[in-house]
């Protein structure tokens, strides 16, 4: 047989049945692996979503603190000007 010889291999019916049964046994394992991959992907997306929510909340709190500080400085400046009049 040469390296380029591509003669098809034929199997007896008994061997074919056994081979098909082996493939049939693999399908549940493949489905289980795919489901595990989907769950992992969903979990990672959840973690990323939670991180984004926490980041947005942190930015909101920082902006709220800054706005409060600006309002206090504005109020203090007005009171200082009124006190000088």
């Amino acid at each position: 047989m040469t390296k380029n010889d591509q003669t098809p291999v034929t199997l007896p019916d008994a061997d074919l049945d056994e081979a098909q049964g082996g493939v049939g046994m693999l399908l549940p394992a493949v489905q289980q692996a795919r489901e595990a991959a989907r769950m992992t992907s969903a979990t990672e997306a959840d973690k990323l979503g939670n991180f984004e929510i926490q980041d947005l909340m942190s930015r909101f709190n920082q902006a709220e603190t800054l706005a409060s500080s600006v309002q206090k400085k504005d109020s203090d400046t007005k009171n200082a000007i009124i006190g000088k009049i």
Side-chain angles (χ1 to χ4, degrees), residues 49-68:
N50 288 339
F51 174 76
E52 290 173 349
I53 289 170
Q54 289 174 351
D55 184 49
L56 286 172
M57 289 174 65
S58 176
R59 288 176 187 226
F60 175 78
N61 289 335
Q62 288 174 354
E64 191 175 37
T65 302
L66 179 61
S68 176

Side-chain angles (χ1 to χ4, degrees), residues 8 10 23 30 64 79:
T10 57
V23 171
V30 170
E64 191 175 37
N79 289 339

Side-chain angles (χ1 to χ4, degrees), residues 6-72:
Q6 296 185 3
T7 306
V9 176
T10 57
L11 296 174
D13 288 342
D15 290 343
L16 282 175
D17 290 341
E18 186 177 316
Q20 289 171 353
V23 171
M25 298 284 286
L26 285 176
L27 288 178
V30 170
Q31 290 171 340
Q32 202 171 24
R34 286 180 180 164
E35 183 62 27
R38 278 190 216 104
M39 292 298 293
T40 301
S41 176
T43 301
E44 292 302 317
D46 258 0
K47 287 179 184 176
L48 182 60
N50 288 339
F51 174 76
E52 290 173 349
I53 289 170
Q54 289 174 351
D55 184 49
L56 286 172
M57 289 174 65
S58 176
R59 288 176 187 226
F60 175 78
N61 289 335
Q62 288 174 354
E64 191 175 37
T65 302
L66 179 61
S68 176
S69 175
V70 169
Q71 286 176 341
K72 183 175 180 339

